[in-house]
Amino acid sequence: MPSRNREKIGEARPPTSSRTKYRISEKREAARRMKKQEFERAAWQVFSTVGLDTATVRDIINASGLSPGSFYNYFKTKDVIFDTLLNLVIARAKEAILLGRSDEDDIETMLLKGYAASFRELLSLHGAARFFELNQHHIRARLFGSTTVRDMTEDLKTRLQARIRSNAITPDKLALAVSIIFMAGLEGLLHISKNPFSDIEETARFTTALLTSGLLRGFSEP
C-alpha cells in the first residue's frame, strides 16, 4: 500500500524536465523582451540625436551595447525599428487624447483638449522635441499608414458627424477635414519642438481656432 501511494503521487506531478523547460522558456522570453526594449531605447537616442537619415544600424547597436546578431533577430533594418518607435509614440498620443476629452465636448472643446493632451504627453518624452524635428518628413510620410492613426481617424469622423449640423457634408469632405485636423496637430507639435519656449496651451488654442473659425464653419452653415 505505501508504495502504491507513492506511485500515485509521483504520477500526479508533471515530469521534472517539463517544469524546468517551462521556467527556462519564461526566462528566455523575459530576456528577449529586455533586449528588444534596450534596442528601442538605443534607437530613440540615436534618432533623437542624428535622425533616421544619418543614423546607421551600427549606431543603434553601439548605443545598446548588445551584439549585432541580436539586433537582426528583432528588427532587420533601421526603418523597421523607427516604425516601431513611431507606432509607440502614436499610441501614447491616442491614449492621452482619449483620457483628456469627454463625450459631451463640442467640436472646439474636443479639438482643444485633444491637441493640448497630445502635445503635453509627447513632449514629455525625453528627446522628443529633437526626434520630431529631425524626422518630421518621415513622420509625415508614415502618419496615415499607421493602424492606430486609421482607428483614430475613424473615431474622429464619427465624433464630427455627431456634432455637425449640416446635410452638405459628404464622405470625401469629412475625410479631408479629418486629415487636415491631424496634420494641423502635427504642425503644432513641430512648432513647439522647434520653439521650446512656446506655450503648449496657447499653441493648442491657436490651432483649434484656425480650424473652428475656417475649416469647420462650412460644415455648420445651413
Side-chain angles (χ1 to χ4, degrees):
M1 290 294 293
S3 62
R4 196 176 296 121
N5 288 337
R6 284 196 298 271
E7 289 174 0
K8 289 181 179 179
I9 293 172
E11 290 170 0
R13 297 175 184 165
T16 303
S17 60
S18 295
R19 293 203 309 275
T20 304
K21 189 174 183 180
Y22 181 69
R23 285 198 299 269
I24 292 173
S25 178
E26 285 185 335
K27 184 176 180 180
R28 184 176 300 159
E29 183 59 30
R32 284 179 57 83
R33 284 195 301 270
M34 290 181 64
K35 282 185 178 182
K36 184 174 183 291
Q37 290 170 358
E38 185 59 25
F39 280 125
E40 290 171 359
R41 181 206 61 77
W44 178 266
Q45 176 186 329
V46 171
F47 295 144
S48 300
T49 304
V50 299
L52 176 60
D53 289 332
T54 303
T56 65
V57 170
R58 173 57 63 183
D59 292 332
I60 298 171
I61 293 170
N62 290 342
S64 73
L66 300 173
S67 68
S70 295
F71 177 89
Y72 292 106
N73 285 335
Y74 299 103
F75 298 107
K76 308 302 182 186
T77 69
K78 66 176 185 178
D79 289 90
V80 172
I81 196 169
F82 181 87
D83 290 341
T84 299
L85 292 175
L86 183 58
N87 285 331
L88 291 173
V89 166
I90 292 170
R92 290 189 64 152
K94 177 184 178 182
E95 185 66 20
I97 291 169
L98 291 176
L99 291 173
R101 69 189 182 191
S102 167
D103 289 340
E104 287 72 40
D105 294 335
D106 56 28
I107 292 177
E108 183 174 4
T109 305
M110 177 182 68
L111 294 179
L112 177 59
K113 286 182 177 180
Y115 285 141
S118 60
F119 292 165
R120 283 194 301 269
E121 175 66 21
L122 297 185
L123 292 169
S124 71
L125 301 174
H126 180 71
R130 286 290 287 164
F131 177 85
F132 296 127
E133 183 180 359
L134 289 171
N135 302 291
Q136 55 185 283
H137 50 300
H138 292 294
I139 295 171
R140 286 191 179 95
R142 288 165 158 83
L143 189 62
F144 290 103
S146 164
T147 301
T148 304
V149 168
R150 287 197 292 269
D151 291 341
M152 292 169 71
T153 57
E154 290 305 314
D155 175 72
L156 184 54
K157 285 179 185 178
T158 300
R159 291 173 182 273
L160 287 177
Q161 285 179 315
R163 291 163 173 78
I164 292 172
R165 299 175 181 177
S166 174
N167 296 324
I169 185 169
T170 59
D172 60 322
K173 288 183 178 178
L174 181 61
L176 176 59
V178 169
S179 296
I180 292 173
I181 288 170
F182 267 84
M183 294 310 296
L186 177 59
E187 292 305 322
L189 181 66
L190 292 171
H191 170 77
I192 302 172
S193 299
K194 297 174 185 177
N195 302 277
F197 295 107
S198 299
D199 183 270
I200 287 178
E201 299 294 334
E202 178 56 34
T203 303
R205 283 193 294 271
F206 180 75
T207 307
T208 300
L210 287 176
L211 292 169
T212 54
S213 64
L215 173 68
L216 298 180
R217 181 183 297 172
F219 292 145
S220 59
E221 293 175 347

